[in-house]
């Protein structure tokens, strides 16, 4: 067990730190959360900066346009960017964290060449069209139909809760290509242009008041057969690859952010005198243990992935379960630090974060579904009936 | 960074697990608990001969010369096997009390306000008093025992005594080099490792039962309510393990406090969930889980209790300049953001 970083890893960290210190002060102010074109431009600009400096797709294989860095270097990258308060991955989330890795793993050489470089440069944004009104946790129950017509699929149906649909160029879309097959068997994974005729995006308002996600209506949208990743009707397996990336690596940087927030909460409580309340103090102390341990768990999982060749394992579900609840606890404590006077003031960042933290136990698979995965895939308990 | 067990560490853990399986299997474990508890001197000496207590002593002093991470792996196995006795105190006193390193002496531990575990078995008593620590033996130790009254212990593996006011004996003790703070830290960590082993054992037992026991014509482990209890047990164990191992590597006081908190929680909650999964069987004396729960309660109060650990962690919060504070000293040319379209 060794928590010390190698010489090479330390040099990588030092170079990155230097680069961040040089670049961050020159960034324009962050756009208003409701300004979608502004947010897109900002996120694209940040991605381009990373690309030009050689930090884009750090842990992707070199033949997918990546730098072929180790999982540990990727971890250092996430830690340092978060520490320095660099922009969040934002609207590049789906492209970088799951559509991209899926295409890198499952796509043809032409598909990799067509789709991956624009993701890394920040030129093209992706969204994830998996969920449907009748298919959330039971994703394989999806009904959006794709029927072959010449060299294209004709797609009709409805997707929902599609994050960043308003600014995306492409959608990783799950469709049913064989209605007669058992439900896991007749699914295919397509890349669909969001500006194709027949695609209508209707923003949904979240409980936080924002429009983070949308409904996407598909009315006879033509998607070329060449835009299918993986074999026809083999989309469920391709999807499992996507989800393992989503759960395995997507939340790592946020643990660092939570530790910073916790420290800021304590500083605020010290300033206002609420620190004298031992119940609150001890609650924050316990959260410090929690986020410290989550960081160590991350290092454990990354070391394990590094030894086993880089594929995130089911350990991602363990992390996601614990983290999503800890994050909610953190913002419950924040409300207490703010006190009744400020806990409902939407101009306070912690109040907005408290609201958005409510999605953590739902998005990317609910806690109940994660527990099923842990029980069946890690502990080997029998499948439920 | 390679935060995984090395081959040597794996081998070491295997070794102690095998020794315990052979010498302290389920029958011995039950006999130790059903017979009123206490330290099995023969086994204690065997563990000593295997190097368990001398693991961290320098080779020049007859020790093995390994570090905290190795001791933690050993103590995790001791916790898994539910071996009774003041294990952490004896390991910590290996350099200070004659015979402790070889398992020929039993060293109990105490601090103000706490009952003393295994006092009647002890050859020496390690007393923690703030930043001070001292050892009582011989006459002074006998006087502590004479002035103590036995407690009817809820933990059948651990006889407890309530001594008369401890500070009175302080002058008679030998001060321990290194002082109380280090002992408390390391004692907390080794105890956390035992808790971790106990949490892991509760998980294994619950999963085994969930596979074997059938109700409504199916293994109860196919029911989601049971599955979710087991999944949470794994999450607690995994998180506590990362915390305990990392604390063993860094030796950092705040990290150790966090590890003790999470390991205490994992041991206690996992035992309770295991008991729930075992149903009526779990509530009987025959099931082992109550023994683990009671021991977990005991350990949670030893060395570093939750309130103190939380205060220690809180003390480190909100003081330093936040890590992400803007840097203003950079004057270098900075590239402009590209517009997207
Ligand atoms: C902020 C946010 C962003 C999202 N972004 C996207 C996106 O970009 N693309 C996309 O495709 N989707 C997205 N989603 C959708 C998300 O993946 C689903 O909401 C999620 O998988 C749950 O599905 P559901 O909402 O239909 O809930 P349901 O499946 O209806 O679940 C409702 C409740 O029932 C429980 N439940 C359901 N089945 C079981 C079971 N078998 N056992 C036990 N309990 C069960 C659930 O745990 C939950 O508590 C997003 C969601 C949120 C909140």
């Amino acid at each position: 067990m060794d928590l010390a970083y190698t010489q090479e890893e330390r040099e990588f960290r030092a170079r990155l730190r230097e680069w961040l210190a040089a670049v961050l002060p020159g960034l324009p102010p962050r756009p208003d959360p409701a300004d979608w074109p502004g947010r897109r431009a900002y996120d694209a600009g940040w991605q381009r900066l990373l690309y030009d400096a050689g930090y884009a797709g750090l842990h992707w294989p070199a033949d997918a346009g990546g730098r072929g860095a180790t999982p540990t270097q990727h971890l250092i990258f996430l830690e340092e960017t978060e520490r320095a308060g660099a922009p969040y991955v934002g609207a590049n989330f789906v492209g970088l964290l799951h559509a991209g890795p899926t295409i890198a793993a499952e796509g043809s050489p032409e598909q990799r060449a067509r789709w991956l470089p624009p993701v890394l440069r920040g030129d093209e944004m992706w969204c994830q069209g998996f969920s449907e009104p009748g298919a959330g946790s039971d994703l394989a129950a999806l009904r959006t139909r794709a029927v072959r017509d010449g060299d294209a699929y004709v797609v009709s149906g409805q997707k929902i809760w599609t994050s960043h649909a308003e600014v995306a160029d492409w959608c990783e879309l799950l469709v049913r290509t064989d209605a007669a097959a058992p439900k896991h068997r007749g699914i295919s994974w397509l890349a669909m242009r969001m500006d194709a005729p027949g695609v209508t995006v209707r923003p949904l308002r979240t409980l936080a008041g924002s429009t983070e996600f949308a409904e996407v209506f598909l009315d006879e949208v033509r998607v070329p057969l060449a835009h299918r990743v993986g074999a026809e009707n083999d989309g469920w397996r391709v999807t499992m690859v996507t989800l393992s990336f989503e759960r395995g690596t997507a939340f790592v940087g946020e643990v660092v952010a939570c530790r910073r927030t916790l420290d800021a909460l304590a500083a605020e409580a010290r300033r206002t005198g609420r620190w004298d309340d031992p119940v609150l103090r001890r609650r924050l102390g316990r959260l410090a243990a929690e986020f410290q341990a989550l960081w160590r768990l991350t290092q454990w999982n990354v070391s394990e992935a590094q030894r086993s060749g880089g594929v995130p394992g089911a350990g991602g579900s363990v992390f996601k379960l614990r983290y999503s609840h800890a994050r909610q606890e953190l913002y419950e404590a924040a409300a207490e630090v703010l006190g009744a006077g400020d806990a409902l003031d939407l101009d306070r960042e912690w109040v907005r974060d408290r609201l958005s933290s409510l999605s953590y136990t739902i998005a990317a698979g609910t806690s109940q579904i994660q527990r099923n995965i842990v029980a069946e895939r890690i502990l080997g308990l029998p499948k439920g009936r | 960074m390679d935060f995984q067990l090395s081959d040597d560490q794996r081998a070491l853990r295997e070794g102690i697990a095998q020794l315990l399986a052979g010498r302290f299997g389920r029958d011995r474990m039950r006999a130790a608990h059903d017979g009123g508890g206490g330290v099995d001197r023969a086994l204690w000496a065997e563990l000593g001969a295997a190097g368990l207590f001398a693991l961290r002593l320098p080779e020049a002093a007859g020790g093995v010369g390994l570090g905290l991470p190795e001791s933690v792996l050993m103590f995790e196995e001791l916790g898994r096997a539910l071996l009774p006795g003041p294990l952490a105190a004896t390991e910590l006193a290996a350099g200070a009390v004659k015979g402790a390193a070889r398992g020929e002496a039993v060293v109990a531990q105490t601090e103000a306000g706490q009952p003393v575990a295994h006092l009647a078995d002890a050859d020496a008593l390690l007393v923690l008093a703030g930043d001070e620590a001292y050892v009582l033996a011989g006459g002074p130790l006998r006087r502590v025992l004479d002035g103590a009254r036995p407690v009817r212990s809820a933990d059948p593996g651990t006889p407890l005594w309530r001594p008369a006011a401890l500070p009175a004996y302080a002058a008679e003790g030998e001060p321990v080099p290194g002082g109380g703070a280090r002992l408390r830290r390391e004692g907390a960590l080794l105890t956390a490792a035992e808790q971790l082993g106990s949490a892991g054992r509760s998980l294994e037992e619950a999963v085994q039962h969930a596979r074997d026991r059938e109700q409504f014509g199916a293994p109860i482990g196919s029911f989601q309510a049971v599955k979710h209890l087991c999944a949470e047990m794994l999450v607690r164990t995994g998180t506590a393990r990362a915390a305990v191992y990392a604390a063993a590597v860094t030796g950092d006081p705040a990290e150790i406090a966090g590890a003790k908190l999470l390991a205490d929680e994992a041991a206690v909650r996992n035992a309770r969930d295991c008991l729930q999964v075992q149903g009526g069987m779990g509530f009987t004396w025959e099931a082992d889980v109550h023994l683990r729960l009671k021991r977990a309660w005991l350990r949670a109060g030893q060395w570093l209790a939750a309130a103190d650990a939380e205060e220690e962690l809180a003390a480190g919060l909100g003081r330093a300049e936040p890590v992400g504070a803007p840097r203003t000293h950079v004057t270098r040319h900075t590239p402009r953001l590209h517009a997207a379209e």
Side-chain angles (χ1 to χ4, degrees), chain B residues 52-67:
Chain B
L52 182 93
F53 299 114
L55 211 59
R56 291 194 294 138
L57 280 187
E59 287 176 56
V64 190
L66 292 171

Side-chain angles (χ1 to χ4, degrees), chain B residues 255-272:
Chain B
E255 192 145 14
I256 289 175
K260 179 70 166 38
L261 258 185
L262 296 193
D264 285 344
E265 182 192 44
V268 171
R269 302 267 322 259
N270 277 17
R272 292 180 56 162

